[in-house]
Amino acid sequence: MRKIKVLLSVILLFVNFLLFSCTPIPQNIEPISEEGTVLGTLCSVKIYDKRDTSILDLCFSKLVELENTLSINKTGTLIDEVNANSGIKPVKVSKEIIDLVEYTFKYSDLSGGLFDISIGTLVKKWHIGFDDERVPSPEEIEEAKSTINYKDIIINKDDSTIFLKDKGMMLDFGSIAKGYAADCLNTILTENGVKSAIIDLGGNLFMKGKKVDGSQWIVGIQDPDETRGDYIGTVKADNKSFVTSGIYEKYFIQDGVYYHHLLNPFTGYPENNDILSVSVISDISLEGECLTKTLYFLGKDKGLEYVESRKDIQAIYILKNYNVYISSGLKNNFILTNSKYTLKN
């Protein structure tokens, strides 16, 4: 059995336009919007202060471009070529891709290698979320583990190439693609004068600017135990990214054992800890993507310690015992709305 849930959803309160709002505005103002399945998920863009649909076309053209560059589930992509030449030769890529790969190294270091985009071979063995998902044999897992090491991703900026040092090594951008894409779309919107919009890439949200009435958006944090649209609480924000990673996003059950998609590259198996989900609120969606995985693997105590060392990010941990922990910057913002959960700090 497989269940794939959207992590974060905007709470609609007023027709199809308003999110939770403190100030009513005319009902006849509705966004222009477009949605479609790209990057393996349902993506949508809603623009509230412009009526130019060509901006939406630019956004979706960029999503398709990124899918054709970053996906390892499509043949002929640039990353497919990089992976196919692992242990053989460097592959020429754009500066954009080099910068993206380099960006992830910070979080690989921070997590002690638990967050690692060279996990592709292991991900392919499990293939969680696809029709052929399965538990690999111990031999397959050991073989896949031997190919994972972000320090063996060799970047040559002068030649603009990436070389995967070991044969069989594979990059997998599945853990960061939506975050990077959200930032790219945010740039497109800014360049086209958009100041109020919602980017929703399969629940990875970027709330651009404020609502057109000047008030903040309110975003619901998904209840891990329920379907889309059920929340544990809400947060007010403007011009922020919301990203969640949780063990309920993609999983399957085999012989009574629950296997989720957050794989530990050192054990080769799904990480087994006390966390249902981690949500990160940040200025940069790519950072939110990297951090949700990093904070999940670090655990609540170390994860929140890191968040508290930063002023520009906030985090929400939901544990399996239904306790909720938030970073101090959310104490006057996060509102718990679900009595099943207990806010502990």
Side-chain angles (χ1 to χ4, degrees):
M1 181 175 71
R2 180 174 75 249
K3 190 188 300 180
I4 304 176
K5 295 183 180 178
V6 176
L7 306 176
L8 290 168
S9 296
V10 177
I11 303 175
L12 296 174
L13 181 67
F14 196 52
V15 192
N16 291 319
F17 178 76
L18 284 177
L19 296 176
F20 279 75
S21 179
C22 298
T23 306
I25 63 173
Q27 297 185 36
N28 60 354
I29 300 177
E30 294 187 0
I32 59 170
S33 64
E34 185 173 342
E35 70 176 32
T37 300
V38 195
L39 294 172
T41 192
L42 181 63
C43 301
S44 73
V45 179
K46 296 179 180 179
I47 298 174
Y48 291 87
D49 62 334
K50 295 282 185 179
R51 313 310 296 173
D52 185 355
T53 58
S54 68
I55 303 173
L56 297 171
D57 295 336
L58 290 172
C59 289
F60 275 81
S61 292
K62 183 63 177 180
L63 288 175
V64 171
E65 175 194 326
L66 290 173
E67 181 178 60
N68 291 336
T69 302
L70 301 178
S71 177
I72 65 169
N73 296 309
K74 294 181 67 174
T75 58
T77 68
L78 179 61
I79 297 308
D80 189 39
E81 182 182 355
V82 172
N83 290 339
N85 284 282
S86 63
I88 301 173
K89 65 177 183 179
V91 173
K92 193 170 187 64
V93 300
S94 66
K95 180 180 181 300
E96 180 182 31
I97 298 304
I98 286 179
D99 290 344
L100 177 60
V101 171
E102 274 198 318
Y103 188 92
T104 69
F105 292 165
K106 171 184 175 181
Y107 299 96
S108 296
D109 289 340
L110 177 62
S111 66
L114 288 164
F115 171 76
D116 190 330
I117 63 168
S118 69
I119 199 172
T121 300
L122 183 65
V123 170
K124 280 282 192 180
K125 294 293 185 185
W126 285 89
H127 225 206
I128 297 174
F130 294 86
D131 290 339
D132 58 345
E133 60 193 6
R134 66 186 180 91
V135 180
S137 69
E139 293 76 19
E140 288 177 300
I141 287 176
E142 286 303 313
E143 180 183 0
K145 282 166 51 181
S146 70
T147 68
I148 304 170
N149 188 347
Y150 68 99
K151 294 181 180 179
D152 288 336
I153 303 172
I154 310 301
I155 291 175
N156 186 319
K157 289 188 176 181
D158 293 333
D159 295 337
S160 193
T161 61
I162 292 178
F163 176 53
L164 306 184
K165 186 176 178 181
D166 293 327
K167 185 71 175 174
M169 191 175 181
M170 290 180 64
L171 301 183
D172 177 19
F173 289 93
S175 61
I176 60 171
K178 292 191 297 181
Y180 180 63
D183 292 328
C184 290
L185 297 197
N186 183 39
T187 298
I188 290 172
L189 294 177
T190 299
E191 290 173 347
N192 285 274
V194 175
K195 297 180 180 179
S196 181
I198 300 171
I199 301 166
D200 184 348
L201 307 183
N204 180 323
L205 296 178
F206 195 96
M207 316 304 292
K208 184 166 183 58
K210 295 183 178 181
K211 292 187 290 184
V212 292
D213 67 349
S215 61
Q216 291 183 300
W217 312 98
I218 293 186
V219 174
I221 306 301
Q222 178 68 43
D223 182 345
D225 273 357
E226 303 297 336
T227 56
R228 181 180 182 179
D230 292 311
Y231 308 98
I232 70 151
T234 61
V235 176
K236 287 183 180 181
D238 56 83
N239 224 41
K240 293 291 183 181
S241 162
F242 286 75
V243 180
T244 298
S245 288
I247 65 173
Y248 58 91
E249 297 177 73
K250 298 181 182 180
Y251 71 85
F252 68 96
I253 297 173
Q254 181 172 310
D255 299 327
V257 180
Y258 186 103
Y259 298 99
H260 61 79
H261 75 299
L262 293 171
L263 302 174
N264 183 318
F266 297 113
T267 67
Y269 289 87
E271 180 73 351
N272 183 20
N273 60 25
D274 61 348
I275 300 169
L276 283 175
S277 71
V278 183
S279 298
V280 170
I281 304 167
S282 60
D283 296 325
I284 301 170
S285 191
L286 175 58
E287 180 168 42
E289 286 273 31
C290 295
L291 273 174
T292 54
K293 285 77 177 179
T294 297
L295 297 182
Y296 172 82
F297 285 115
L298 287 178
K300 173 182 67 67
D301 293 338
K302 288 184 178 180
L304 285 175
E305 180 181 355
Y306 173 77
V307 173
E308 294 298 340
S309 73
R310 302 270 303 267
K311 299 297 183 183
D312 56 336
I313 57 172
Q314 303 299 332
I316 302 168
Y317 276 89
I318 304 176
L319 304 189
K320 292 176 180 177
N321 62 5
Y322 299 123
N323 287 336
V324 178
Y325 293 83
I326 61 175
S327 53
S328 59
L330 292 175
K331 286 186 176 179
N332 295 321
N333 188 348
F334 177 79
I335 298 175
L336 186 69
T337 59
N338 190 322
S339 61
K340 181 173 68 176
Y341 293 86
T342 301
L343 185 61
K344 299 299 288 187
N345 56 346

